[in-house]
Amino acid sequence: MGGTAVETLRESLRGEVLGPEDAGYDEARTVYNAMIDRRPAVIARCADVTDVRAVVRHARASGMDLTVRGGGHSGGGLCVADGALMLDLSGMRWVRVDPEARTALVGGGSRLGDLDHEAHGFGLGIPAGVMSATGVGGLTLGGGHGHLTRAYGLTIDSLVAADVVLADGSFVTASADEHPDLFWALRGGGGNFGVVTSFRFALHPVDTVGLAVTLWEPEHIGAVLRWYREFLPAAPETLNGFFATLAVPPAPPFPEEIHGKRMCGVVWCHTGTADEDELAKAFAMVGDPAPPAFHFATPIPYPGIQAMFDELIPKGLQWYWRGDFFDRITEGAIDAHRTFLEALPTDLSTMHLYPVDGAAHRLGPMDTAWAYRDAVWSGVIGGISAEPSDADRIRDWAVGYWDALHPHSMGGAYVNFLGADEPPDRVRATYRGHYDRLADVKRTYDPDNVFHHNQNVRPAQG
């Protein structure tokens, strides 16, 4: 990108424009996953919708490759590409709550922690992720699940409207009444259709919740999973709990004698009660499959449970992940979990099974672009390390784990858990029968596939 073109873009924006020689460029190009090291030609840090429109139009006029960065949390680093024009929404990081209407208007560059903090002031929240550093935009467009999913559904189930800059630089609002086809596609179809500059969400009552963590020794993993697969889907929707294989973090509340030990466990969130005595009764069942090696329960403000992993797995680590949906936990899957727990390559690497049943099953399969309303768990395998020299080791472990589990899956994955190096048929499998409809919407709103740095749905032909 020539210097004159850079200056033209600078003159068009209120936000900052950075080239490779500018101070702050290296910080601005980095993303959550340190395995991603790419150098865009220019970074446009948009301050408002007019900036976004100008950047999209500039990309079209100049023929530049365009990427869109929200929170920069994409495991595959899809928001940054070598030689591209990065449209950075981080300057549009704001949240406005209407407590009477129980809605929140959220800027496209906001993070979950921003939304959690502001909504919590009014005793409200939405189901969205398990880390406060995650971008609202990317998580929502992929569908979104978290600690409140069994109680309140997917993140997209709370989406009321979205303001979108389209591939030609025009601006529309998508909702059930305006551009309903686009609104359908945005709810799970990823970043294929435009730049969402703000989201409007319906909020739900949530204040202090019951947090619990239960860990069992590895030899009990079969008994625990057989119990968990029956217990949780039948439990009240106020109880959420994701299953994990992990190494015990060297941090409170875990006692020093189990730090670093390989274990299996469940991280629970109870929205039905935060009373300590009631929590003790509610979690008396954790001894049913086997005696826990560790169990801890406490009331916690909802933003606290959302932020509990932030310091354990901060920005700047090596990441490689793969995912799949599951409607059952088979004996073969249990064998795979046992094998790869024993082979855990680093103390940070982990596997999570997030529940996506309960309230998430209330919408029909055709209501949104999320195609797996019949899934019970959304699984992710994360190979994680602070050391760049571990990159191959964590990748090999994650891919081997996925290869062993995939035959026991439903065939597709949560789009935000797809790796950047997976074949195109994985995207089609993720959208099942919705893929062709998404391709039709893509043809209407982005016929030239301007927005292709994502888990891409190509425009329908003809």
Side-chain angles (χ1 to χ4, degrees):
M1 186 173 180
T4 301
V6 173
E7 290 307 317
T8 299
L9 190 57
R10 283 189 172 127
E11 292 170 3
S12 302
L13 306 188
R14 293 184 67 196
E16 186 177 28
V17 176
L18 299 171
E21 305 303 320
D22 292 321
Y25 168 84
D26 281 326
E27 180 182 356
R29 72 182 179 88
T30 60
V31 293
Y32 183 75
N33 183 0
M35 198 178 284
I36 308 302
D37 183 18
R38 299 175 188 148
R39 301 184 63 84
V42 64
I43 300 169
R45 310 188 87 169
C46 298
D48 51 32
V49 173
T50 298
D51 278 5
V52 173
R53 298 180 70 191
V55 172
V56 172
R57 286 171 173 161
H58 186 93
R60 293 298 300 272
S62 65
M64 291 195 73
D65 224 10
L66 181 68
T67 70
V68 181
R69 173 184 174 137
H73 217 267
S74 161
L78 299 175
C79 58
V80 57
D82 289 327
L85 168 54
M86 180 198 283
L87 191 162
D88 185 351
L89 294 167
S90 59
M92 301 173 66
R93 189 175 167 183
W94 46 263
V95 178
R96 301 189 186 111
V97 170
D98 181 337
E100 293 188 8
R102 288 188 174 179
T103 60
L105 189 63
V106 183
S110 302
R111 299 178 183 176
L112 296 185
D114 304 324
L115 175 55
D116 294 336
H117 169 79
E118 189 67 14
H120 182 69
F122 301 96
L124 300 169
I126 66 168
V130 297
M131 292 188 66
S132 70
T134 303
V136 171
L139 179 129
T140 300
L141 294 174
H145 51 62
H147 293 296
L148 303 182
T149 289
R150 297 194 75 244
Y152 293 128
L154 303 173
T155 308
I156 53 173
D157 300 345
S158 297
L159 185 64
V160 175
D163 290 333
V164 190
V165 173
L166 301 176
D168 61 359
S170 61
F171 175 84
V172 300
T173 296
S175 68
D177 299 319
E178 301 177 84
H179 299 277
D181 55 341
L182 177 61
F183 186 56
W184 176 86
L186 292 174
R187 289 177 290 163
N192 277 285
F193 308 98
V195 183
V196 179
T197 57
S198 65
F199 299 83
R200 186 177 296 277
F201 294 104
L203 300 176
H204 308 277
V206 58
D207 194 344
T208 300
V209 300
L211 161 69
V213 180
T214 311
L215 301 178
W216 292 269
E217 297 284 355
E219 60 263 30
H220 297 309
I221 191 169
V224 171
L225 278 170
R226 291 182 192 100
W227 168 78
Y228 174 78
R229 71 188 180 189
E230 302 298 328
F231 168 78
L232 191 65
E237 292 177 357
T238 52
L239 182 63
N240 199 88
F242 71 83
F243 178 84
T245 58
L246 72 157
V248 180
F254 307 109
E256 187 174 351
E257 59 266 25
I258 64 171
H259 288 178
K261 289 195 67 174
R262 273 53 177 160
M263 292 195 180
C264 63
V266 179
V267 177
W268 308 96
C269 177
H270 202 313
T271 56
T273 181
D275 177 82
E276 291 191 25
D277 292 337
E278 291 298 319
L279 287 176
K281 296 176 185 177
F283 290 113
M285 53 31 181
V286 298
D288 289 354
F294 173 82
H295 178 72
F296 170 83
T298 186
I300 188 172
Y302 179 61
I305 197 172
Q306 289 285 85
M308 64 184 287
F309 298 116
D310 288 1
E311 292 186 12
L312 294 174
I313 41 177
K315 179 181 177 180
L317 301 174
Q318 303 284 309
W319 274 83
Y320 186 87
W321 62 31
R322 288 283 184 95
D324 263 325
F325 285 120
F326 300 88
D327 58 359
R328 58 182 58 88
I329 298 172
T330 67
E331 291 302 308
I334 291 172
D335 290 342
H337 291 305
R338 180 184 296 109
T339 297
F340 285 89
L341 170 57
E342 293 172 356
L344 206 69
T346 65
D347 284 355
L348 292 171
S349 297
T350 188
M351 186 287 310
H352 294 173
L353 287 175
Y354 295 105
V356 287
D357 62 329
H361 281 187
R362 291 181 195 156
L363 271 70
M366 304 304 294
D367 291 340
T368 64
W370 175 283
Y372 279 84
R373 289 288 172 176
D374 52 343
V376 183
W377 290 280
S378 171
V380 63
I381 301 158
I384 312 168
S385 176
E387 300 298 328
S389 59
D390 284 336
D392 289 341
R393 191 155 63 100
I394 61 176
R395 182 186 293 109
D396 290 347
W397 174 82
V399 172
Y401 202 161
W402 183 86
D403 285 343
L405 279 180
H406 184 63
H408 307 278
S409 77
M410 299 175 74
Y414 175 35
V415 68
N416 290 342
F417 288 162
L418 290 181
D421 57 351
E422 296 190 53
D425 63 348
R426 284 283 285 157
V427 177
R428 183 175 284 275
T430 287
Y431 290 118
R432 285 173 152 175
H434 291 343
Y435 186 91
D436 289 343
R437 181 178 174 186
L438 286 166
D440 287 340
V441 177
K442 180 79 168 178
R443 178 177 57 192
T444 299
Y445 291 95
D446 184 15
D448 298 320
N449 206 11
V450 171
F451 301 110
H452 63 272
H453 282 282
N454 43 48
Q455 300 297 350
N456 195 230
V457 175
R458 297 187 63 81
Q461 300 300 306

